[in-house]
Amino acid sequence: MTPFASRPSADGLWTGLRDMGGAPLALAVADGVLRWAGEPGAVPAGWADARVHDGAGALVTPGLVDCHTHLVYGGQRANEFAMRLAGASYEEVAKAGGGIVASVRATREASEDALFASASVRLANLLAEGVCAIEVKSGYGLALEHERKQLRVARRLAEAHGVTVRTTFLGAHALPPEYAGRSGDYIERVCREMLPALAAEGLVDAVDVFCERIAFSLEETERVFQAARALGLPVKLHAEQLSDMGGAALAARYGALSCDHIEHLSQAGIEAMRAAGTVAVLLPGAFYTLRDTQLPPIAALREAGVPMAVSTDHNPGTSPALSLLLMVNMACTLFRLTVPEALDGVTRHAARALGLQGTHGELVVGQSANFVLWDVREAAELAYWFGQRPVRTVVRQGRIAEGEGA
Ligand code: NIG
Ligand code: FE
């Protein structure tokens, strides 16, 4: 792999582009920063001698943002796929010793370098499709040293691949086997030992909990949120995926960045999220894999004006998805999002779900240049094709990172 720092600079004037509505657009980049965006006829005089990159009619979007992933883990769980095909439910697989704890075993056994190598391969798929910012959760270590290992890998991925990574501590993902029957003690450890130590090492950008019957209760979730608040860290929540636990309303009370999954979200939860400005993160890959039938309350979220993001939820159990555009397609087909909603869902709303509004998910002048040139006639094609990768060029952190010219 070419080291990121030696990829070609994207500095210069990008012409021959069309915006999502099809209108002509030009972009100007200097020192890796997007300096100007506007109509080609209105390019400021100072750019007359700049190097020209001819977009040749490509559609341009902001760099994509994948705002919910469990990208760093050991092993894989294709065996569970087979179990579910034979009729087992996600909860039954978990109770039979599979599920999250199976990945915990494999992650604990893996070295940091091995985790970095396997996550890099997965990340490469997402980057090649235009992802410029990504969230990476811990939660397959469930012990200080192994959670640290996962989060350190996330930071290394950012550095090595030239991509914005937001780390989320998900120590409260599942009960590790050594704490069987002692959920309260484990949460105590998460709050008193793991989170403060990892935060002090600069490894934690946000804190998440899996609040569910097969994971942690509402009360346990609140204890973790209190610990996060004490450290000044924002929270998010795996909420109402399999049942309505009231997690979204709790998360909203803590000003959560996002509530994710939310198939069983109630109207009260929607109201609380609206009031708090919490983003609803839709995860059609998990919905599809689990052959779920309970749709998230899209119409009510839309009606309430809650911003909806769309993400891969990449993880080895319920969503081994490595295409964010496929999730866009599924969000439209399965959840009935409109194309503009789904595209906002992988750009500006996804950025907001990570606290990255103002720097990512939009063509932001004054910020590091992150944008994608697509070989499509119209924006709807980004949702319409699946299994195709219509990327021409990805500009990431001011460099031509993927595709033509890289
Ligand atoms: O987001 N819901 C909990 N966590 C993951 C699943 C993790 C796994 O099965 O390994 C999710 O779907
Ligand atoms: Fe998840």
Side-chain angles (χ1 to χ4, degrees):
M1 192 186 82
T2 324
F4 187 76
S6 59
R7 309 259 171 119
S9 161
D11 282 7
L13 189 62
W14 292 74
T15 58
L17 305 175
R18 292 172 302 117
D19 69 14
M20 291 223 238
L25 184 69
L27 302 172
V29 178
D31 300 323
V33 171
L34 183 63
R35 305 284 179 182
W36 181 85
E39 289 175 24
V43 176
W47 293 94
D49 297 330
R51 173 172 175 204
V52 172
H53 303 267
D54 182 7
L59 194 101
V60 66
T61 68
L64 306 186
V65 179
D66 194 354
C67 65
H68 178 142
T69 87
H70 310 247
L71 196 73
V72 177
Y73 54 84
Q76 48 79 23
R77 300 197 339 245
N79 63 322
E80 292 178 17
F81 182 68
M83 282 171 77
R84 284 198 304 272
L85 287 178
S89 69
Y90 183 53
E91 286 169 282
E92 285 162 354
V93 168
K95 284 187 181 137
I100 294 169
V101 295
S103 293
V104 171
R105 281 193 296 275
T107 303
R108 287 179 175 181
E109 278 165 18
S111 69
E112 187 180 309
D113 285 347
L115 292 175
F116 175 77
S118 63
S120 287
V121 172
R122 295 190 280 267
L123 179 60
N125 283 274
L126 295 165
L127 298 181
E129 208 182 45
V131 168
C132 291
I134 186 169
E135 187 231 28
V136 175
K137 299 179 194 289
S138 67
Y140 289 121
L142 308 186
L144 179 58
E145 64 174 304
H146 299 293
E147 291 286 298
R148 176 187 287 125
K149 191 168 66 174
Q150 279 193 281
L151 293 169
R152 283 173 50 94
V153 168
R155 290 279 189 247
R156 279 175 63 186
L157 291 171
E159 187 66 27
H161 296 272
V163 56
T164 301
V165 172
R166 300 298 280 177
T167 56
T168 298
F169 171 68
L170 180 55
H173 192 195
L175 192 62
E178 60 274 19
Y179 277 87
R182 294 189 296 128
S183 189
D185 291 350
Y186 180 63
I187 289 296
E188 181 76 4
R189 187 130 203 191
V190 163
C191 296
R192 292 277 164 100
E193 184 204 350
M194 293 160 71
L195 177 55
L198 297 170
E201 291 170 35
L203 290 171
V204 181
D205 297 326
V207 177
D208 192 355
V209 176
F210 186 17
C211 179
E212 194 51 73
R213 293 184 304 238
I214 57 167
F216 296 99
S217 69
L218 207 56
E219 292 68 33
E220 290 165 336
T221 301
E222 182 156 19
R223 285 173 63 194
V224 178
F225 283 178
Q226 282 169 351
R229 178 178 275 176
L231 293 164
L233 292 168
V235 300
K236 34 211 306 128
L237 190 65
H238 279 74
E240 344 291 25
Q241 180 186 9
L242 309 170
S243 60
D244 180 12
M245 302 274 292
L250 172 70
R253 277 204 277 121
Y254 281 80
L257 290 172
S258 69
C259 289
D260 305 37
H261 287 287
I262 56 168
E263 279 82 352
H264 294 262
L265 179 63
S266 67
Q267 190 58 37
I270 293 174
E271 291 305 327
M273 288 171 66
R274 184 196 53 74
T278 299
V279 177
V281 178
L282 306 173
L283 304 171
F287 176 91
Y288 164 82
T289 302
L290 297 174
R291 300 174 69 229
D292 205 343
T293 51
Q294 175 73 42
L295 286 163
I298 302 299
L301 287 164
R302 184 183 284 135
E303 170 79 10
V306 174
M308 292 183 277
V310 173
S311 166
T312 58
D313 187 16
H314 176 85
N315 75 74
T318 62
S319 192
L322 289 168
S323 165
L324 192 52
L325 285 191
L326 178 57
M327 300 304 113
V328 166
N329 172 274
M330 285 183 173
C332 295
T333 304
L334 299 175
F335 294 167
R336 314 309 290 168
L337 259 60
T338 66
V339 170
E341 282 174 338
L343 293 176
D344 278 348
V346 292
T347 51
R348 62 195 187 96
H349 294 328
R352 184 163 164 190
L354 296 181
L356 291 175
Q357 65 274 31
T359 60
H360 291 74
E362 293 178 286
L363 293 171
V364 189
V365 172
Q367 299 289 343
S368 186
N370 289 298
F371 54 85
V372 188
L373 273 56
W374 304 95
D375 267 322
V376 297
R377 289 299 310 154
E378 53 183 305
E381 287 183 73
L382 298 176
Y384 160 78
W385 301 107
F386 54 94
Q388 201 210 14
R389 189 180 271 167
V391 170
R392 185 182 300 172
T393 301
V394 178
V395 170
R396 203 168 64 240
Q397 297 190 347
R399 295 190 178 276
I400 301 177
E402 315 277 340
E404 247 171 57

